Amino acid sequence: MKIGMNMLLWTNHVTEEHYHIVDKLKETGYDGIELYMGDGDVTHYTKLGNHFSSLGVGVTAVTGLSPEENISSADAATRQAGLDRLKWAIDNAEALGAETICGPIHSSFAYFTRQPPTQDERKRSADTLRKAAEYAAQANIMLCPEALNRFECYLYNTMADLKTLVTAVDHPNLGAMYDTHHSNIEEKSQAKALQTIAPCLKHVHISENDRGTPGSGQVLWDDVFSTLKEINYDGWLTIEAFSTIIPEFANAINVWRDYSPEEEVYTKGLTFIKDGMGL
């Protein structure tokens, strides 16, 4: 089991100017970082990957799809644009040395038809993700789609929903991720949700109900940690917390205030996970 910190607390585009933050996280005791892939190319991510590798810092990545790249769309050109974007992310993740690409890659973030999801939409999403997983296999990268809460997504909201997607794709390079923030909104029970997704669980986001310091809010953490141990989960536990540092990104995800002091998030957050998991 490894503990990571998502760099979205500081930036949505990691560059050399953020190396000092990575150094600080390593000194604090993190095994690795997670960064958002929205911009950049293979040259950029190769440079980052070489630096992180030299530090002995592991890396995972998160990305998303715009409405013009919605792989659940009925429009073939839109689905192709989404597949091309996922292949772009896979190429960059390989250059970065990332093990995993997670996020709401099954459809477009904050895009709504104002209707419940249809089986046709879910089938189109699964069919495209299967092609992406086949491409990811060449790079030895695991794709981990994420179920989001109802205010950010309509296609997949719960672990029961997400399990149907993983089953439909049926490829060894596509698993599932679990996010405690979204599950706190959508699930009846964190424990039952984790038990549901356990057979295909490959990545976990540790995120408080308000996106602040883990352990400072209302998530039922005893249930989360005890169930993770019960199902013998041994992948990444990555803290995902947000701030207002990057206004355009904060606006996109509806972050209107800073929920916890930056240093508190990554210091107390790490201690909280270690204590909760008995590490």
Side-chain angles (χ1 to χ4, degrees):
M1 184 176 293
K2 293 170 283 190
I3 302 177
M5 182 70 210
N6 194 309
M7 294 292 289
L8 281 171
L9 182 62
W10 297 276
T11 181
N12 61 342
H13 183 57
V14 174
T15 66
E16 291 179 38
E17 68 179 272
H18 302 107
Y19 284 176
H20 71 284
I21 298 174
V22 180
D23 293 340
K24 187 164 52 178
L25 293 173
K26 181 174 173 57
E27 291 168 6
T28 303
Y30 283 89
D31 299 301
I33 60 168
E34 185 165 279
L35 56 82
Y36 179 75
M37 290 193 301
D39 297 309
D41 55 20
V42 167
T43 300
H44 173 73
Y45 288 104
T46 297
K47 186 175 183 178
L48 293 183
N50 289 339
H51 178 72
F52 299 146
S53 178
S54 71
L55 295 176
V57 171
V59 189
T60 59
V62 58
T63 196
L65 300 170
S66 72
E68 295 75 28
E69 300 162 340
N70 186 2
I71 63 172
S72 69
S73 170
D75 179 65
T78 301
R79 294 197 304 276
Q80 184 61 50
L83 179 58
D84 291 344
R85 183 66 174 182
L86 292 174
K87 288 182 176 180
W88 169 89
I90 292 164
D91 289 342
N92 288 327
E94 182 179 20
L96 181 63
E99 304 172 25
T100 300
I101 300 174
C102 64
I105 55 176
H106 44 66
S107 56
S108 296
F109 175 77
Y111 170 82
F112 297 94
T113 63
R114 312 312 303 175
Q115 298 292 328
T118 68
Q119 288 306 307
D120 285 344
E121 287 175 309
R122 288 184 169 180
K123 184 179 186 304
R124 290 191 291 263
S125 177
D127 288 347
T128 308
L129 279 175
R130 189 177 305 109
K131 295 175 184 177
E134 290 168 356
Y135 192 81
Q138 304 169 37
N140 195 29
I141 287 173
M142 179 65 66
L143 301 182
C144 294
E146 174 183 16
L148 302 187
N149 69 75
R150 73 195 76 170
F151 308 108
E152 298 179 1
C153 170
Y154 73 98
L155 200 64
Y156 294 100
N157 299 130
T158 67
M159 292 302 102
D161 289 340
L162 194 60
K163 190 174 181 181
T164 66
L165 172 63
V166 178
T167 301
V169 174
D170 190 23
H171 193 284
N173 284 80
L174 186 135
M177 76 160 287
Y178 186 84
D179 186 300
T180 55
H181 169 82
H182 297 298
S183 291
N184 181 68
I185 297 172
E186 293 296 334
E187 303 287 357
K188 299 291 188 183
S189 162
Q190 296 258 2
K192 289 181 180 178
L194 278 165
Q195 290 162 356
T196 295
I197 206 65
C200 48
L201 183 62
K202 299 298 181 182
H203 197 62
V204 172
H205 274 176
I206 300 295
S207 190
E208 193 51 87
N209 70 288
D210 67 350
R211 298 294 200 181
T213 304
S216 66
Q218 299 182 43
V219 172
L220 299 178
W221 291 107
D222 287 345
D223 290 353
V224 172
F225 292 136
S226 64
T227 309
L228 286 170
K229 287 185 279 189
E230 174 190 309
I231 65 175
N232 296 314
Y233 176 74
D234 64 353
W236 283 95
L237 296 176
T238 298
I239 294 177
E240 186 179 56
F242 298 141
S243 72
T244 60
I245 291 177
I246 308 296
E248 63 271 21
F249 181 74
N251 290 344
I253 57 174
N254 300 321
V255 169
W256 312 119
R257 67 186 188 279
D258 290 318
Y259 306 109
S260 298
E262 167 194 316
E263 186 173 354
E264 178 187 294
V265 172
Y266 72 83
T267 56
K268 289 189 177 181
L270 178 64
T271 300
F272 181 70
I273 293 174
K274 286 185 172 183
D275 288 348
M277 294 301 297
L279 299 176

